[in-house]
mmCIF file of all heavy atoms in Angstrom:
data_model
loop_
_atom_site.group_PDB
_atom_site.id
_atom_site.type_symbol
_atom_site.label_atom_id
_atom_site.label_comp_id
_atom_site.label_asym_id
_atom_site.label_seq_id
_atom_site.Cartn_x
_atom_site.Cartn_y
_atom_site.Cartn_z
ATOM 1 N N HIS A 1 0.840 -1.197 0.015
ATOM 2 C CA HIS A 1 0.005 0.005 -0.014
ATOM 3 C C HIS A 1 0.871 1.240 -0.008
ATOM 4 O O HIS A 1 1.861 1.322 0.712
ATOM 5 C CB HIS A 1 -0.902 0.036 1.236
ATOM 6 C CG HIS A 1 -1.824 -1.137 1.373
ATOM 7 N ND1 HIS A 1 -3.049 -1.182 0.786
ATOM 8 C CD2 HIS A 1 -1.660 -2.322 2.011
ATOM 9 C CE1 HIS A 1 -3.638 -2.347 1.058
ATOM 10 N NE2 HIS A 1 -2.821 -3.059 1.810
ATOM 11 N N GLY A 2 0.475 2.224 -0.798
ATOM 12 C CA GLY A 2 1.184 3.500 -0.819
ATOM 13 C C GLY A 2 2.374 3.485 -1.754
ATOM 14 O O GLY A 2 2.553 2.580 -2.576
ATOM 15 N N SER A 3 3.202 4.526 -1.628
ATOM 16 C CA SER A 3 4.365 4.625 -2.492
ATOM 17 C C SER A 3 5.482 5.322 -1.702
ATOM 18 O O SER A 3 5.222 6.043 -0.741
ATOM 19 C CB SER A 3 4.064 5.436 -3.766
ATOM 20 O OG SER A 3 3.656 6.738 -3.429
ATOM 21 N N GLY A 4 6.712 5.061 -2.110
ATOM 22 C CA GLY A 4 7.873 5.610 -1.417
ATOM 23 C C GLY A 4 8.783 4.505 -0.968
ATOM 24 O O GLY A 4 8.672 3.349 -1.409
ATOM 25 N N PRO A 5 9.710 4.792 -0.067
ATOM 26 C CA PRO A 5 10.673 3.792 0.434
ATOM 27 C C PRO A 5 9.879 2.644 1.109
ATOM 28 O O PRO A 5 8.847 2.859 1.741
ATOM 29 C CB PRO A 5 11.503 4.538 1.452
ATOM 30 C CG PRO A 5 11.351 5.992 1.092
ATOM 31 C CD PRO A 5 9.981 6.115 0.536
ATOM 32 N N PRO A 6 10.358 1.396 0.972
ATOM 33 C CA PRO A 6 9.619 0.261 1.525
ATOM 34 C C PRO A 6 9.707 0.195 3.049
ATOM 35 O O PRO A 6 10.758 0.361 3.658
ATOM 36 C CB PRO A 6 10.315 -0.944 0.882
ATOM 37 C CG PRO A 6 11.635 -0.452 0.480
ATOM 38 C CD PRO A 6 11.511 0.987 0.152
ATOM 39 N N LEU A 7 8.549 -0.038 3.668
ATOM 40 C CA LEU A 7 8.403 -0.215 5.097
ATOM 41 C C LEU A 7 7.612 -1.500 5.309
ATOM 42 O O LEU A 7 6.458 -1.594 4.932
ATOM 43 C CB LEU A 7 7.667 0.977 5.697
ATOM 44 C CG LEU A 7 7.335 0.948 7.180
ATOM 45 C CD1 LEU A 7 8.577 0.854 8.042
ATOM 46 C CD2 LEU A 7 6.513 2.204 7.563
ATOM 47 N N VAL A 8 8.242 -2.488 5.923
ATOM 48 C CA VAL A 8 7.650 -3.794 6.084
ATOM 49 C C VAL A 8 7.238 -4.034 7.526
ATOM 50 O O VAL A 8 8.006 -3.781 8.452
ATOM 51 C CB VAL A 8 8.632 -4.914 5.632
ATOM 52 C CG1 VAL A 8 8.055 -6.296 5.877
ATOM 53 C CG2 VAL A 8 9.005 -4.737 4.160
ATOM 54 N N PHE A 9 6.022 -4.555 7.712
ATOM 55 C CA PHE A 9 5.482 -4.847 9.055
ATOM 56 C C PHE A 9 5.324 -6.365 9.195
ATOM 57 O O PHE A 9 4.693 -7.031 8.359
ATOM 58 C CB PHE A 9 4.093 -4.206 9.218
ATOM 59 C CG PHE A 9 4.121 -2.711 9.165
ATOM 60 C CD1 PHE A 9 3.985 -2.024 7.960
ATOM 61 C CD2 PHE A 9 4.272 -1.951 10.313
ATOM 62 C CE1 PHE A 9 3.967 -0.628 7.901
ATOM 63 C CE2 PHE A 9 4.281 -0.568 10.314
ATOM 64 C CZ PHE A 9 4.126 0.082 9.099
ATOM 65 N N ALA A 10 5.862 -6.903 10.283
ATOM 66 C CA ALA A 10 5.780 -8.337 10.579
ATOM 67 C C ALA A 10 4.987 -8.531 11.860
ATOM 68 O O ALA A 10 5.401 -8.044 12.930
ATOM 69 C CB ALA A 10 7.191 -8.955 10.692
ATOM 70 N N HIS A 11 3.913 -9.252 11.801
ATOM 71 C CA HIS A 11 2.958 -9.370 12.893
ATOM 72 C C HIS A 11 3.395 -10.378 13.957
ATOM 73 O O HIS A 11 4.323 -11.166 13.784
ATOM 74 C CB HIS A 11 1.576 -9.784 12.353
ATOM 75 C CG HIS A 11 1.584 -11.181 11.747
ATOM 76 N ND1 HIS A 11 1.401 -12.311 12.508
ATOM 77 C CD2 HIS A 11 1.671 -11.607 10.456
ATOM 78 C CE1 HIS A 11 1.409 -13.388 11.713
ATOM 79 N NE2 HIS A 11 1.593 -12.979 10.473
ATOM 80 N N GLY A 12 2.684 -10.327 15.087
ATOM 81 C CA GLY A 12 2.933 -11.206 16.198
ATOM 82 C C GLY A 12 2.127 -12.484 16.151
ATOM 83 O O GLY A 12 1.374 -12.734 15.194
ATOM 84 N N LEU A 13 2.252 -13.288 17.215
ATOM 85 C CA LEU A 13 1.620 -14.605 17.242
ATOM 86 C C LEU A 13 0.092 -14.514 17.169
ATOM 87 O O LEU A 13 -0.549 -15.428 16.638
ATOM 88 C CB LEU A 13 2.042 -15.309 18.544
ATOM 89 C CG LEU A 13 1.588 -16.743 18.739
ATOM 90 C CD1 LEU A 13 2.174 -17.670 17.671
ATOM 91 C CD2 LEU A 13 1.977 -17.248 20.137
ATOM 92 N N GLY A 14 -0.475 -13.446 17.671
ATOM 93 C CA GLY A 14 -1.946 -13.330 17.664
ATOM 94 C C GLY A 14 -2.486 -12.587 16.447
ATOM 95 O O GLY A 14 -3.659 -12.199 16.438
ATOM 96 N N GLY A 15 -1.645 -12.376 15.437
ATOM 97 C CA GLY A 15 -2.051 -11.487 14.330
ATOM 98 C C GLY A 15 -1.944 -12.108 12.965
ATOM 99 O O GLY A 15 -1.934 -13.319 12.775
ATOM 100 N N GLY A 16 -1.875 -11.220 11.977
ATOM 101 C CA GLY A 16 -1.790 -11.573 10.575
ATOM 102 C C GLY A 16 -1.585 -10.256 9.802
ATOM 103 O O GLY A 16 -1.331 -9.209 10.398
ATOM 104 N N PHE A 17 -1.796 -10.321 8.524
ATOM 105 C CA PHE A 17 -1.582 -9.109 7.722
ATOM 106 C C PHE A 17 -2.549 -7.991 8.132
ATOM 107 O O PHE A 17 -2.242 -6.811 7.960
ATOM 108 C CB PHE A 17 -1.725 -9.432 6.215
ATOM 109 C CG PHE A 17 -3.147 -9.591 5.769
ATOM 110 C CD1 PHE A 17 -3.818 -8.527 5.148
ATOM 111 C CD2 PHE A 17 -3.816 -10.811 5.903
ATOM 112 C CE1 PHE A 17 -5.122 -8.690 4.715
ATOM 113 C CE2 PHE A 17 -5.118 -10.967 5.460
ATOM 114 C CZ PHE A 17 -5.789 -9.907 4.874
ATOM 115 N N LEU A 18 -3.693 -8.342 8.715
ATOM 116 C CA LEU A 18 -4.677 -7.342 9.134
ATOM 117 C C LEU A 18 -4.278 -6.584 10.408
ATOM 118 O O LEU A 18 -4.876 -5.575 10.736
ATOM 119 C CB LEU A 18 -6.047 -8.014 9.369
ATOM 120 C CG LEU A 18 -6.824 -8.429 8.114
ATOM 121 C CD1 LEU A 18 -8.014 -9.261 8.520
ATOM 122 C CD2 LEU A 18 -7.261 -7.197 7.334
ATOM 123 N N SER A 19 -3.239 -7.078 11.064
ATOM 124 C CA SER A 19 -2.841 -6.468 12.347
ATOM 125 C C SER A 19 -2.561 -4.973 12.211
ATOM 126 O O SER A 19 -2.769 -4.198 13.135
ATOM 127 C CB SER A 19 -1.564 -7.142 12.878
ATOM 128 O OG SER A 19 -1.801 -8.466 13.234
ATOM 129 N N TRP A 20 -2.137 -4.577 11.024
ATOM 130 C CA TRP A 20 -1.597 -3.228 10.835
ATOM 131 C C TRP A 20 -2.608 -2.247 10.242
ATOM 132 O O TRP A 20 -2.218 -1.252 9.609
ATOM 133 C CB TRP A 20 -0.347 -3.318 9.982
ATOM 134 C CG TRP A 20 0.637 -4.310 10.497
ATOM 135 C CD1 TRP A 20 0.880 -5.577 10.037
ATOM 136 C CD2 TRP A 20 1.487 -4.125 11.624
ATOM 137 N NE1 TRP A 20 1.835 -6.196 10.818
ATOM 138 C CE2 TRP A 20 2.230 -5.326 11.807
ATOM 139 C CE3 TRP A 20 1.670 -3.090 12.530
ATOM 140 C CZ2 TRP A 20 3.139 -5.494 12.824
ATOM 141 C CZ3 TRP A 20 2.602 -3.250 13.564
ATOM 142 C CH2 TRP A 20 3.331 -4.444 13.689
ATOM 143 N N TRP A 21 -3.870 -2.474 10.505
ATOM 144 C CA TRP A 21 -4.927 -1.647 9.917
ATOM 145 C C TRP A 21 -4.879 -0.204 10.449
ATOM 146 O O TRP A 21 -5.394 0.719 9.791
ATOM 147 C CB TRP A 21 -6.301 -2.256 10.176
ATOM 148 C CG TRP A 21 -6.698 -2.391 11.631
ATOM 149 C CD1 TRP A 21 -6.290 -3.343 12.503
ATOM 150 C CD2 TRP A 21 -7.561 -1.536 12.375
ATOM 151 N NE1 TRP A 21 -6.845 -3.142 13.737
ATOM 152 C CE2 TRP A 21 -7.643 -2.074 13.685
ATOM 153 C CE3 TRP A 21 -8.294 -0.408 12.061
ATOM 154 C CZ2 TRP A 21 -8.420 -1.474 14.694
ATOM 155 C CZ3 TRP A 21 -9.070 0.185 13.056
ATOM 156 C CH2 TRP A 21 -9.122 -0.336 14.350
ATOM 157 N N GLN A 22 -4.237 0.005 11.597
ATOM 158 C CA GLN A 22 -4.133 1.365 12.141
ATOM 159 C C GLN A 22 -2.770 2.027 11.747
ATOM 160 O O GLN A 22 -2.569 3.194 12.063
ATOM 161 C CB GLN A 22 -4.263 1.327 13.651
ATOM 162 C CG GLN A 22 -5.640 0.813 14.113
ATOM 163 C CD GLN A 22 -5.734 0.786 15.597
ATOM 164 O OE1 GLN A 22 -6.300 1.682 16.238
ATOM 165 N NE2 GLN A 22 -5.210 -0.276 16.202
ATOM 166 N N GLN A 23 -1.884 1.248 11.123
ATOM 167 C CA GLN A 23 -0.618 1.785 10.683
ATOM 168 C C GLN A 23 -0.592 2.093 9.196
ATOM 169 O O GLN A 23 -0.057 3.124 8.799
ATOM 170 C CB GLN A 23 0.530 0.807 11.018
ATOM 171 C CG GLN A 23 0.979 0.825 12.467
ATOM 172 C CD GLN A 23 -0.076 0.337 13.447
ATOM 173 O OE1 GLN A 23 -0.600 -0.762 13.296
ATOM 174 N NE2 GLN A 23 -0.401 1.150 14.446
ATOM 175 N N VAL A 24 -1.124 1.214 8.393
ATOM 176 C CA VAL A 24 -1.050 1.379 6.924
ATOM 177 C C VAL A 24 -1.618 2.709 6.471
ATOM 178 O O VAL A 24 -0.992 3.433 5.685
ATOM 179 C CB VAL A 24 -1.724 0.180 6.201
ATOM 180 C CG1 VAL A 24 -1.893 0.493 4.707
ATOM 181 C CG2 VAL A 24 -0.864 -1.075 6.393
ATOM 182 N N PRO A 25 -2.829 3.111 6.916
ATOM 183 C CA PRO A 25 -3.363 4.399 6.434
ATOM 184 C C PRO A 25 -2.477 5.577 6.795
ATOM 185 O O PRO A 25 -2.475 6.590 6.084
ATOM 186 C CB PRO A 25 -4.732 4.504 7.111
ATOM 187 C CG PRO A 25 -5.105 3.094 7.433
ATOM 188 C CD PRO A 25 -3.810 2.410 7.766
ATOM 189 N N HIS A 26 -1.728 5.466 7.883
ATOM 190 C CA HIS A 26 -0.841 6.548 8.304
ATOM 191 C C HIS A 26 0.444 6.558 7.485
ATOM 192 O O HIS A 26 0.839 7.592 6.941
ATOM 193 C CB HIS A 26 -0.520 6.390 9.783
ATOM 194 C CG HIS A 26 0.474 7.375 10.306
ATOM 195 N ND1 HIS A 26 0.136 8.654 10.701
ATOM 196 C CD2 HIS A 26 1.831 7.278 10.472
ATOM 197 C CE1 HIS A 26 1.209 9.296 11.098
ATOM 198 N NE2 HIS A 26 2.253 8.499 10.966
ATOM 199 N N PHE A 27 1.105 5.400 7.392
ATOM 200 C CA PHE A 27 2.421 5.357 6.775
ATOM 201 C C PHE A 27 2.395 5.319 5.246
ATOM 202 O O PHE A 27 3.416 5.595 4.615
ATOM 203 C CB PHE A 27 3.216 4.194 7.349
ATOM 204 C CG PHE A 27 3.651 4.377 8.759
ATOM 205 C CD1 PHE A 27 2.960 3.803 9.816
ATOM 206 C CD2 PHE A 27 4.746 5.169 9.064
ATOM 207 C CE1 PHE A 27 3.391 3.982 11.120
ATOM 208 C CE2 PHE A 27 5.160 5.388 10.368
ATOM 209 C CZ PHE A 27 4.480 4.798 11.401
ATOM 210 N N ARG A 28 1.271 4.932 4.683
ATOM 211 C CA ARG A 28 1.231 4.826 3.225
ATOM 212 C C ARG A 28 1.357 6.169 2.539
ATOM 213 O O ARG A 28 1.613 6.246 1.336
ATOM 214 C CB ARG A 28 -0.081 4.165 2.791
ATOM 215 C CG ARG A 28 -1.318 4.992 3.045
ATOM 216 C CD ARG A 28 -2.596 4.252 2.634
ATOM 217 N NE ARG A 28 -2.622 3.967 1.218
ATOM 218 C CZ ARG A 28 -3.527 3.177 0.603
ATOM 219 N NH1 ARG A 28 -4.453 2.590 1.334
ATOM 220 N NH2 ARG A 28 -3.483 2.989 -0.678
ATOM 221 N N LYS A 29 1.241 7.246 3.295
ATOM 222 C CA LYS A 29 1.381 8.589 2.735
ATOM 223 C C LYS A 29 2.807 8.871 2.240
ATOM 224 O O LYS A 29 2.994 9.687 1.368
ATOM 225 C CB LYS A 29 0.966 9.645 3.755
ATOM 226 C CG LYS A 29 -0.476 9.504 4.224
ATOM 227 C CD LYS A 29 -0.757 10.414 5.416
ATOM 228 C CE LYS A 29 -2.154 10.199 5.969
ATOM 229 N NZ LYS A 29 -2.390 11.040 7.201
ATOM 230 N N ARG A 30 3.787 8.174 2.832
ATOM 231 C CA ARG A 30 5.160 8.410 2.419
ATOM 232 C C ARG A 30 6.027 7.172 2.290
ATOM 233 O O ARG A 30 7.206 7.263 1.964
ATOM 234 C CB ARG A 30 5.850 9.419 3.341
ATOM 235 C CG ARG A 30 6.009 8.973 4.793
ATOM 236 C CD ARG A 30 6.483 10.125 5.646
ATOM 237 N NE ARG A 30 6.811 9.773 7.016
ATOM 238 C CZ ARG A 30 8.064 9.723 7.505
ATOM 239 N NH1 ARG A 30 9.094 9.999 6.744
ATOM 240 N NH2 ARG A 30 8.277 9.399 8.774
ATOM 241 N N PHE A 31 5.424 5.988 2.526
ATOM 242 C CA PHE A 31 6.156 4.763 2.369
ATOM 243 C C PHE A 31 5.341 3.762 1.562
ATOM 244 O O PHE A 31 4.090 3.826 1.513
ATOM 245 C CB PHE A 31 6.453 4.120 3.738
ATOM 246 C CG PHE A 31 7.400 4.896 4.605
ATOM 247 C CD1 PHE A 31 6.950 5.708 5.627
ATOM 248 C CD2 PHE A 31 8.776 4.811 4.374
ATOM 249 C CE1 PHE A 31 7.817 6.422 6.430
ATOM 250 C CE2 PHE A 31 9.658 5.509 5.188
ATOM 251 C CZ PHE A 31 9.200 6.319 6.215
ATOM 252 N N SER A 32 6.019 2.816 0.961
ATOM 253 C CA SER A 32 5.363 1.637 0.403
ATOM 254 C C SER A 32 5.254 0.624 1.527
ATOM 255 O O SER A 32 6.250 0.026 1.939
ATOM 256 C CB SER A 32 6.156 1.051 -0.769
ATOM 257 O OG SER A 32 6.203 1.908 -1.861
ATOM 258 N N CYS A 33 4.046 0.511 2.079
ATOM 259 C CA CYS A 33 3.828 -0.355 3.241
ATOM 260 C C CYS A 33 3.594 -1.796 2.784
ATOM 261 O O CYS A 33 2.654 -2.047 2.027
ATOM 262 C CB CYS A 33 2.652 0.152 4.044
ATOM 263 S SG CYS A 33 2.882 1.776 4.757
ATOM 264 N N VAL A 34 4.396 -2.722 3.251
ATOM 265 C CA VAL A 34 4.249 -4.124 2.952
ATOM 266 C C VAL A 34 3.767 -4.831 4.187
ATOM 267 O O VAL A 34 4.432 -4.808 5.246
ATOM 268 C CB VAL A 34 5.573 -4.734 2.456
ATOM 269 C CG1 VAL A 34 5.386 -6.209 2.130
ATOM 270 C CG2 VAL A 34 6.128 -3.952 1.261
ATOM 271 N N VAL A 35 2.594 -5.508 4.093
ATOM 272 C CA VAL A 35 2.091 -6.318 5.169
ATOM 273 C C VAL A 35 1.926 -7.715 4.645
ATOM 274 O O VAL A 35 1.628 -7.922 3.449
ATOM 275 C CB VAL A 35 0.768 -5.776 5.741
ATOM 276 C CG1 VAL A 35 0.970 -4.426 6.407
ATOM 277 C CG2 VAL A 35 -0.291 -5.677 4.667
ATOM 278 N N PHE A 36 2.097 -8.705 5.497
ATOM 279 C CA PHE A 36 1.972 -10.111 5.061
ATOM 280 C C PHE A 36 1.577 -10.965 6.257
ATOM 281 O O PHE A 36 1.665 -10.548 7.400
ATOM 282 C CB PHE A 36 3.314 -10.600 4.470
ATOM 283 C CG PHE A 36 4.416 -10.713 5.475
ATOM 284 C CD1 PHE A 36 4.746 -11.924 6.064
ATOM 285 C CD2 PHE A 36 5.164 -9.577 5.856
ATOM 286 C CE1 PHE A 36 5.766 -12.028 6.980
ATOM 287 C CE2 PHE A 36 6.185 -9.677 6.796
ATOM 288 C CZ PHE A 36 6.492 -10.883 7.365
ATOM 289 N N SER A 37 1.152 -12.181 5.959
ATOM 290 C CA SER A 37 0.903 -13.169 6.999
ATOM 291 C C SER A 37 2.033 -14.201 6.957
ATOM 292 O O SER A 37 2.344 -14.740 5.895
ATOM 293 C CB SER A 37 -0.440 -13.854 6.785
ATOM 294 O OG SER A 37 -1.509 -13.011 7.071
ATOM 295 N N HIS A 38 2.633 -14.419 8.105
ATOM 296 C CA HIS A 38 3.661 -15.446 8.183
ATOM 297 C C HIS A 38 3.106 -16.811 7.727
ATOM 298 O O HIS A 38 1.893 -17.042 7.843
ATOM 299 C CB HIS A 38 4.186 -15.613 9.607
ATOM 300 C CG HIS A 38 5.068 -14.491 10.088
ATOM 301 N ND1 HIS A 38 4.563 -13.431 10.781
ATOM 302 C CD2 HIS A 38 6.397 -14.286 9.951
ATOM 303 C CE1 HIS A 38 5.571 -12.584 11.064
ATOM 304 N NE2 HIS A 38 6.698 -13.081 10.590
ATOM 305 N N ARG A 39 4.012 -17.645 7.250
ATOM 306 C CA ARG A 39 3.518 -18.977 6.829
ATOM 307 C C ARG A 39 2.801 -19.663 7.986
ATOM 308 O O ARG A 39 3.212 -19.586 9.148
ATOM 309 C CB ARG A 39 4.704 -19.851 6.340
ATOM 310 C CG ARG A 39 5.692 -20.281 7.366
ATOM 311 C CD ARG A 39 6.581 -21.380 6.839
ATOM 312 N NE ARG A 39 7.284 -21.004 5.628
ATOM 313 C CZ ARG A 39 7.498 -21.820 4.617
ATOM 314 N NH1 ARG A 39 7.044 -23.064 4.632
ATOM 315 N NH2 ARG A 39 8.166 -21.402 3.554
#
């Protein structure tokens, strides 16, 4: 999400790619936000 330098978020044991729903809208303004679910 977004554009700019890459910023990658790695979630905790209780989470997934959706964990960062309060971060992506903020940081996507100046970073390419990468979220993923661990295997």
